[in-house]
Amino acid sequence: MEIADCLKETPPYLFAEIDKRKAELAAQGVDVISLGIGDPDIPTPEHIVDAMAEAIRKPSNHQYPDYAGSPAYRKAAATYMKNRFGVDVDPDTEVLGLIGSKEGIAHTHTAFVNPGDYVLAPAIGYPVYSGGAKLQNGLVYYMHMGEDNAWLADFASTPDDIADAAKIMFIGYPNNPTSAIANDEYFDEAIAFCKEHDLLLVHDNAYCDVCFDDYRAPSILERPGAKDVCLEFFSLSKPYNMTGWRIAFCCGNAQAVDALGTVKNNLDSGQFTAIQDAAIVALTGPQDCLDDMRAIYTRRRDAMIDALHAIGIDCEPPKATIYIWAKVPDGYTSAEFAEKLLTQAHVIVTPGSSYGPDGEGYIRISLTTPDDRLMEAVRRIKETM
């Protein structure tokens, strides 16, 4: 048999490879500390688990779910958007339930990208932005990101012929992996650019509720004219510690929602309704758990920044996300330094180059590890250096 050409050119998925390396070392009896994957170690809040326990016993939930997400779940998502951002979305036409935002982002390519079409992706970003395009035999143009432009994807410098041949532009703030944040002016410029070039603007807002120091991340749908071109993705994975539950939603432009929904109708049958019922409780129930989560990550962020500075690693305290974006010491590439830490310190970090061409020279460190293991990881890194 022969696999598709697009699959031959698709590299192994970054986080699957990290899991594989960790498992190999663990099988040898090595104590590995993983700071590589943003998978919260904090349990899902109890009231959400209780809601799931109740919902799973309902016989009506044992049947096929609604393809677009249950009406109640889509209404809860719309309520969240109104309460959190002051944004009105129609739960029937402008909201779509997802089996995690990764699935939705990947299927957005299927809905819009033909072979040979361009996708504009950040030169440092979530691998699915570019990977999904390549699986559709699309082309990727990487928009520059760097410290020189505060890690904001530079869409304005995209050549006109490429912008006109593109179908989607991806951005995401608060940003994974750099933890950068964007202001209203940047969003307004992105919206205007996509209107000018007839692009779907996809904003990945998975970390909007993981914010520190009184910073409050916005929705791009708050901006004037955003619904004309924007589809925004939200995930319950990080704010409610629900990575394994695989539940998310997107909202915005009704035509884009309908197109993505058509793809999903043909490729999946929706998420288990009991999980959607629990997600309703997460989105509309008590939000104290968010404050507790932010307090934990703030403590870990501050401790890690101090510890990393003490051993000579240059990094800035993030205003949001669960990551620290740190410079690699002189004399190493991102991959070389990550490999050194893995083989000598038995600490996993992700090389910045894995997130795109402008990520070279940096590593991403995740805060989703208990405090004592974070400090042990720093101790090991110091000894290795």
Side-chain angles (χ1 to χ4, degrees):
M1 69 179 70
E2 185 175 358
I3 64 174
D5 290 342
C6 63
L7 200 58
K8 295 176 186 176
E9 299 174 7
T10 300
Y13 187 60
L14 169 63
F15 301 113
E17 286 298 295
I18 291 174
D19 279 343
K20 181 180 177 182
R21 295 293 300 274
K22 181 180 179 181
E24 289 171 349
L25 288 170
Q28 300 169 23
V30 176
D31 176 30
V32 180
I33 301 176
S34 179
L35 310 182
I37 299 177
D39 192 3
D41 60 303
I42 310 165
T44 305
E46 189 172 352
H47 69 286
I48 301 173
V49 176
D50 289 343
M52 176 67 172
E54 180 180 348
I56 203 171
R57 292 185 173 89
K58 294 180 179 178
S60 60
N61 284 343
H62 301 170
Q63 298 176 302
Y64 281 122
D66 290 282
Y67 285 102
S70 72
Y73 177 55
R74 284 182 279 122
K75 183 177 179 181
T79 299
Y80 166 84
M81 293 299 296
K82 182 65 174 179
N83 292 342
R84 174 67 172 80
F85 303 109
V87 169
D88 290 306
V89 289
D90 184 337
D92 294 325
T93 62
E94 296 177 333
V95 179
L96 185 66
L98 302 172
I99 311 173
S101 59
K102 178 183 178 181
E103 169 266 309
I105 289 170
H107 282 154
T108 301
H109 296 89
T110 308
F112 287 91
V113 178
N114 296 315
D117 287 342
Y118 270 97
V119 165
L120 309 185
I124 308 171
Y126 187 39
V128 182
Y129 304 154
S130 56
K134 293 172 183 176
L135 288 173
Q136 290 300 119
N137 293 300
L139 305 173
V140 179
Y141 178 82
Y142 290 102
M143 302 176 290
H144 169 65
M145 284 177 67
E147 197 170 7
D148 59 307
N149 65 350
W151 309 107
L152 297 174
D154 181 15
F155 50 81
S157 63
T158 305
D160 284 342
D161 59 332
I162 291 178
D164 290 338
K167 290 293 188 67
I168 308 173
M169 184 173 92
F170 287 96
I171 58 175
Y173 295 94
N175 184 256
N176 172 24
T178 69
S179 297
I181 58 176
N183 58 23
D184 291 345
E185 181 182 10
Y186 178 79
F187 286 144
D188 290 342
E189 291 173 357
I191 292 165
F193 179 85
C194 289
K195 286 185 176 182
E196 178 185 354
H197 294 283
D198 193 24
L199 297 172
L200 171 66
L201 175 53
V202 172
H203 183 236
D204 184 2
N205 210 355
Y207 296 90
C208 62
D209 287 317
V210 189
C211 301
F212 316 119
D213 307 330
D214 297 323
Y215 173 69
R216 189 173 176 84
S219 161
I220 198 170
L221 296 177
E222 296 176 48
R223 306 309 306 156
K227 271 194 199 178
D228 295 339
V229 292
C230 292
L231 190 61
E232 190 164 34
F233 285 79
F234 295 87
S235 172
L236 281 74
S237 289
K238 303 308 192 295
Y240 300 105
N241 309 319
M242 296 174 70
T243 50
W245 299 58
R246 308 316 305 138
I247 187 72
F249 69 91
C250 67
C251 57
N253 181 272
Q255 181 182 1
V257 167
D258 182 66
L260 179 55
T262 299
V263 171
K264 288 175 56 58
N265 290 349
N266 285 278
L267 294 181
D268 69 63
S269 298
Q271 182 54 283
F272 182 27
T273 308
I275 292 178
Q276 296 184 58
D277 287 351
I280 292 169
V281 172
L283 292 171
T284 63
Q287 300 298 299
D288 316 38
C289 56
L290 295 180
D291 293 331
D292 296 340
M293 172 270 298
R294 285 188 282 257
I296 290 171
Y297 287 135
T298 298
R299 183 181 70 242
R300 291 179 182 178
R301 177 202 65 169
D302 293 345
M304 277 298 285
I305 291 290
D306 289 345
L308 291 169
H309 284 171
I311 63 174
I313 292 182
D314 186 9
C315 52
E316 296 294 327
K319 289 285 188 184
T321 81
I322 51 179
Y323 308 116
I324 292 174
W325 187 241
K327 285 187 178 180
V328 169
D330 291 341
Y332 296 94
T333 66
S334 295
E336 288 170 348
F337 189 59
E339 184 67 19
K340 177 184 178 70
L341 295 186
L342 176 62
T343 57
Q344 297 183 26
H346 302 142
V347 173
I348 295 174
V349 298
T350 47
S353 53
S354 298
Y355 296 97
D358 286 352
E360 181 54 65
Y362 292 83
I363 55 172
R364 192 194 76 171
I365 296 171
S366 174
L367 299 173
T368 56
T369 301
D371 300 38
D372 59 334
R373 295 289 279 173
L374 284 173
M375 293 303 101
E376 169 63 13
V378 174
R379 185 192 65 78
R380 294 185 189 182
I381 293 171
K382 180 181 179 180
E383 289 185 356
T384 300
M385 292 174 62

